[in-house]
């Protein structure tokens, strides 16, 4: 049964800044509280991301698409402790009229039995991760500004 989870968040930072972080493939351990470590093998499309969960276990993503023109990133979760047969994540970064950005993170999940508990977990994990991304970028910008002031 195919289910979709979608998160959308507007950020007060340029789309290119947000896109650069996402297109960089790694760093998810800084954004997602449920991820303890993120290791990247390879570069660009075809690269693998090995994610160690804070609660134990690992997940592996294969990068399927990095479209810089449309700021679209897609990954396929090829290994997961959650027993899903299909997990495709798509992240798109758009521009707002005031120079900010909007991040849309969509996940398609297919499993013989997709529980509401799993959907809620994915929704919360992505929500927390996108908020963590924003926090990380704001913190980096503040650090850069402080360094430049010195």
């Amino acid at each position: 049964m195919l289910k979709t989870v979608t998160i959308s968040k507007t950020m007060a930072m340029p789309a290119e800044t947000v896109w650069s972080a996402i297109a960089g493939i790694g760093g998810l351990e800084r954004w997602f509280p449920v991820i303890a470590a993120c290791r990247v093998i390879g570069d660009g499309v075809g690269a693998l991301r090995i994610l160690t969960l804070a609660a134990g276990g690992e997940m592996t993503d294969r990068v399927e698409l990095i479209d810089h023109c449309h700021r679209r990133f897609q990954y396929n979760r090829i290994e997961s402790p959650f027993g899903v047969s299909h997990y495709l994540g798509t992240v798109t970064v758009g521009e707002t009229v005031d120079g900010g950005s909007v991040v849309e993170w969509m996940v398609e999940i297919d499993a013989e039995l997709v529980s509401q508990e799993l959907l809620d977990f994915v929704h919360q994990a992505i929500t927390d991760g996108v908020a963590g991304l924003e926090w990380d970028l704001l913190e980096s910008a503040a650090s850069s500004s402080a360094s430049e002031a010195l």
Side-chain angles (χ1 to χ4, degrees), residues 43-144:
D43 194 21
V45 173
L48 298 177
R49 247 187 339 210
I50 293 90
L51 309 171
T52 303
L53 298 170
E58 281 190 345
M59 301 182 295
T60 302
D61 296 341
R62 182 179 56 237
V63 176
E64 302 292 339
L65 173 74
I66 303 174
D67 181 343
H68 294 289
C69 291
H70 297 101
R71 292 190 205 99
R72 189 165 182 236
F73 179 86
Q74 198 167 57
Y75 62 96
N76 183 10
R77 182 141 302 149
I78 58 175
E79 291 180 22
S80 168
F82 302 115
V84 298
S85 57
H86 171 80
Y87 186 111
L88 183 66
T90 304
V91 185
T92 306
V93 180
E95 292 182 48
T96 61
V97 294
D98 62 355
S101 58
V102 61
V103 175
E104 183 174 277
W105 198 306
M106 183 182 74
V107 174
E108 294 177 358
I109 302 171
D110 197 4
E112 191 172 306
L113 179 63
V114 178
S115 69
Q116 189 60 46
E117 182 180 357
L118 176 60
L119 294 173
D120 290 346
F121 173 80
V122 170
H123 185 276
Q124 190 61 55
I126 294 170
T127 299
D128 292 347
V130 172
L133 166 63
E134 181 178 33
W135 174 256
D136 187 57
L137 292 173
L138 287 171
E139 192 173 77
S140 293
S143 294
S144 292

